[in-house]
């Protein structure tokens, strides 16, 4: 028994070591983009119900955070700030299925064909969703969802992520990117994203290691109907999302599970639809219910499932016709031990870079910011907004505050308070959505 557990843990660690630097690079790129692109600007751009709004939703989502829970929280925040509901959902989908780190991890674990299929399938599924929303989503459903969203019900620990906006929009791009303030924002976004996803990543690798070590391939092959290639091609895209729903793992964390399924014989299209389904796992469906109401959550489940199954089937068939589907299902990453190769050197380099960012994060109030991510359920009506980062703060419990111009400002962390105290006039200017309390 102990040997079996150790074998499963070994497989999990081998897989994590192989993808550590791509994950870190993806988080870094996402943090940089979030630092220079304001959520307020994004919300304004996503108000368009036309094709341009659709394209902006896709592109802006693809360069945002990859955490599914954070993506759902950000989508509601954008919806409340004026983004169209359909565009907010497209943004949410793109921010978990078209992001840098997902493509990098897929490339390392499964190969370029899966990266190409993921992005082609992602574009196709987004288009299917947009068309279905146009044809079936009624104004009364959107109005009902908006009323529910405006209640601001707390549904996950990622609420603060949805409100957080430390973007730097003033001055030349290069000067902004290499400023001390940008260094702080990048470190905060980086570790905020890591905090948002570490549970799913850990679960994904542990479950993948256990399944790879303990479930014989013959069981998977029988389940995926590998003896009948035609049925396998249809069955994979249909069953893939259901497996994902029941796994409770989302974001990049479901890629290791996808590796196990591919190794077990699921179809190429089944892998793609499985990865897409991170936004309909049971915990997120419950969040949809709290955010938008039961009717809208059921609608999103049905529409999303049909779109991802169809996209997986079409992309799988198209890649099969083009001869791009790998013929070998055997995945060697389960057996690849760490050696002194480029992967090890890159992992070490990114560990050092993460240590530097951790130093900045801990010394600029990052821990306080993480603690402020989930406001108390009964404190929302009394909440105010941190004028520096945009996070929700409960003035009754806020440890950091400053007075300026006869007003009291509340902050989620010491870092935000220090930024305000250095230049209060910059943050004290009235901004949409910023609430202050009289001092």
């Amino acid at each position: 028994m102990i040997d079996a557990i150790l074998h499963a843990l070994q497989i999990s660690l081998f897989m994590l070591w192989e993808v550590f630097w791509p994950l870190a690079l993806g988080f870094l790129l996402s943090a940089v983009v979030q630092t220079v692109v304001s959520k307020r600007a994004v919300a304004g751009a996503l108000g368009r119900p036309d094709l341009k709004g659709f394209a902006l939703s896709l592109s802006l989502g693809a360069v945002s955070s990859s955490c599914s829970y954070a993506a759902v929280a950000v989508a509601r925040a954008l919806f409340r700030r004026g983004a169209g509901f359909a565009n907010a959902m497209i943004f949410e989908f793109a921010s978990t299925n078209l992001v840098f780190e997902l493509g990098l991890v897929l490339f390392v674990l499964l190969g370029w064909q899966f990266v190409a299929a993921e992005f082609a399938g992602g574009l196709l599924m987004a288009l299917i969703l947009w068309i279905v929303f146009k044809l079936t989503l009624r104004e009364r459903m959107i109005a009902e969802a908006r009323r529910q969203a405006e209640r601001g019900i707390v549904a996950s620990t990622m609420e603060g992520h949805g409100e957080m906006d430390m973007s730097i929009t003033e001055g030349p791009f290069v000067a902004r990117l290499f400023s001390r303030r940008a260094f702080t924002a990048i470190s905060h976004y980086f570790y905020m994203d890591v905090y948002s996803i570490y549970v799913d990543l850990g679960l994904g690798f542990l479950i993948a290691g256990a399944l790879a070590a303990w479930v014989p391939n013959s069981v998977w092959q029988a389940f995926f109907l590998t003896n009948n290639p035609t049925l396998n091609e249809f069955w994979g895209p249909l069953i893939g999302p259901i497996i994902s729903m029941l796994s409770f793992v989302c974001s990049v964390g479901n890629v290791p599970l996808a590796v196990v399924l591919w190794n077990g014989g699921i179809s190429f299209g089944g892998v793609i639809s499985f990865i897409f389904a991170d936004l309909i796992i049971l915990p997120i469906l419950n969040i949809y219910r709290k955010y938008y109401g039961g009717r809208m959550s059921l609608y999103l489940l049905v529409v999303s499932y049909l779109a991802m199954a169809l996209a997986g089937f079409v992309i799988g068939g198209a890649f099969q016709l083009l001869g791009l589907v790998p013929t070998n299902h055997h995945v060697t990453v389960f057996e690849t031990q760490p050696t002194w190769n480029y992967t090890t050197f890159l992992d070490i380099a990114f560990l050092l870079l993460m240590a530097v960012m951790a130093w900045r994060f801990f010394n600029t109030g990052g821990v306080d910011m993480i603690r402020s991510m989930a406001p108390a359920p009964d404190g929302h009506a009394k909440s105010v907004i941190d004028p520096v980062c945009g996070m929700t703060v409960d003035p009754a419990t806020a440890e950091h505050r400053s007075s300026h111009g006869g007003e009291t400002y509340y902050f989620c962390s010491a870092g935000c308070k220090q930024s305000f105290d250095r230049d209060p006039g910059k943050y004290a200017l009235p901004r949409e959505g910023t609430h202050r309390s009289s001092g």
Side-chain angles (χ1 to χ4, degrees):
M1 179 65 177
I2 294 177
D3 288 342
I5 293 174
L6 290 176
H7 182 46
L9 289 174
Q10 183 184 61
I11 291 175
S12 300
L13 291 174
F14 285 174
M15 293 178 71
L16 177 60
W17 187 251
E18 286 295 311
V19 302
F20 182 81
W21 73 264
L23 275 173
L25 176 59
F27 283 133
L28 178 61
L29 293 173
S30 175
V32 170
V33 172
Q34 291 179 80
T35 297
V36 296
V37 178
S38 167
K39 282 193 177 79
R40 294 176 180 83
V42 171
L46 302 191
R48 298 170 175 268
D50 54 12
L51 194 58
K52 183 177 180 180
F54 167 75
L56 285 171
S57 303
L58 268 182
S59 56
L60 292 172
V63 295
S64 66
S65 168
S66 67
C67 170
S68 299
Y69 292 102
V72 173
V74 170
R76 183 180 69 162
L78 294 175
F79 181 48
R80 294 176 69 185
R81 290 175 180 173
F85 184 82
N87 286 343
M89 293 300 102
I90 298 297
F91 174 93
E92 176 185 302
F93 170 78
S95 58
T96 59
N97 290 290
L98 295 175
V99 288
F100 304 120
E101 49 266 47
L102 178 64
L104 289 170
V105 172
L106 276 173
F107 178 77
V108 171
L109 292 181
L110 287 172
W112 67 268
Q113 298 96 328
F114 287 88
V115 180
E118 172 68 13
F119 282 91
L123 293 174
L124 176 60
M125 181 178 166
L127 183 60
I128 293 171
L129 284 174
W130 188 66
I131 292 173
V132 172
F133 286 151
K134 283 282 188 182
L135 295 176
T136 64
L137 191 55
R138 300 292 179 257
E139 285 299 324
R140 66 177 182 275
M141 289 180 64
I142 298 176
E144 182 181 323
R146 188 174 295 280
R147 285 193 298 270
Q148 180 70 13
E150 290 298 338
R151 294 177 62 191
I153 294 176
V154 176
S156 79
T157 58
M158 297 299 107
E159 302 294 328
H161 204 304
E163 301 294 339
M164 178 182 175
D165 191 347
M166 295 182 68
S167 58
I168 304 168
T169 57
E170 310 87 3
F173 177 79
V174 175
R176 282 186 281 148
L177 189 59
F178 291 98
S179 65
R180 289 171 58 86
R181 189 177 159 204
F183 183 27
T184 299
I186 290 171
S187 70
H188 280 234
Y189 276 122
F190 182 92
Y191 279 102
M192 190 74 78
D193 286 348
V194 171
Y195 174 79
S196 301
I197 203 175
Y198 80 94
V199 173
D200 287 289
L201 275 176
L203 282 175
F205 282 107
L206 289 174
I207 294 172
L211 293 176
W214 301 341
V215 180
N217 261 6
S218 58
V219 174
W220 290 118
Q221 289 167 1
F223 181 70
F224 292 130
L225 310 177
T226 56
N227 289 332
N228 190 320
T230 302
L231 284 178
N232 176 257
E233 291 299 319
F234 282 94
W235 178 239
L238 292 175
I239 197 62
I242 296 175
I243 297 174
S244 182
M245 286 176 63
L246 299 177
S247 73
F248 283 71
V249 177
C250 59
S251 307
V252 185
N254 68 0
V255 177
L257 295 177
V259 176
V260 174
L261 297 182
W262 174 250
N263 194 64
I266 195 173
S267 68
F268 188 78
V271 171
I272 303 306
S273 65
F274 170 83
I275 294 172
F276 288 160
D278 60 340
L279 286 173
I280 59 170
I281 64 172
L282 298 180
I284 286 183
L285 289 175
N286 188 46
I287 294 174
Y288 284 152
R289 180 184 63 81
K290 294 179 180 179
Y291 279 3
Y292 309 118
R295 185 181 178 189
M296 183 61 82
S297 65
L298 180 61
Y299 172 84
L300 290 173
L301 168 62
V302 173
V303 168
S304 298
Y305 174 79
L306 293 175
M308 62 189 56
L310 179 59
F313 175 75
V314 171
I315 292 298
F319 273 59
Q320 194 76 46
L321 289 174
L322 294 172
L324 297 177
V325 176
T327 56
N328 184 13
H329 278 251
H330 181 65
V331 179
T332 59
V333 71
F334 300 136
E335 307 152 4
T336 304
Q337 300 186 25
T339 59
W340 285 105
N341 55 15
Y342 80 95
T343 297
T344 298
F345 285 110
L346 286 172
D347 282 351
I348 293 173
F350 274 97
L351 278 170
L352 293 174
L353 178 60
M354 288 174 63
V356 173
M357 288 193 293
W359 172 83
R360 186 68 173 180
F361 177 79
F362 283 107
N363 284 280
T364 52
V367 175
D368 291 336
M369 179 171 285
I370 282 183
R371 288 172 180 163
S372 301
M373 282 183 66
D378 61 348
H380 187 86
K382 304 179 232 179
S383 295
V384 295
I385 302 299
D386 182 325
V388 176
C389 71
M391 285 183 64
T392 301
V393 180
D394 184 349
T397 59
E399 296 180 8
H400 310 285
R401 61 189 70 188
S402 292
S403 295
H404 177 77
E407 303 282 351
T408 299
Y409 296 82
Y410 300 90
F411 309 95
C412 71
S413 66
C416 286
K417 173 176 164 51
Q418 290 169 7
S419 296
F420 180 89
D421 290 342
R422 280 196 296 267
D423 188 4
K426 177 179 184 179
Y427 300 105
L429 293 174
R431 298 191 305 177
E432 183 180 351
T434 301
H435 304 289
R436 295 169 296 192
S437 176
S438 296

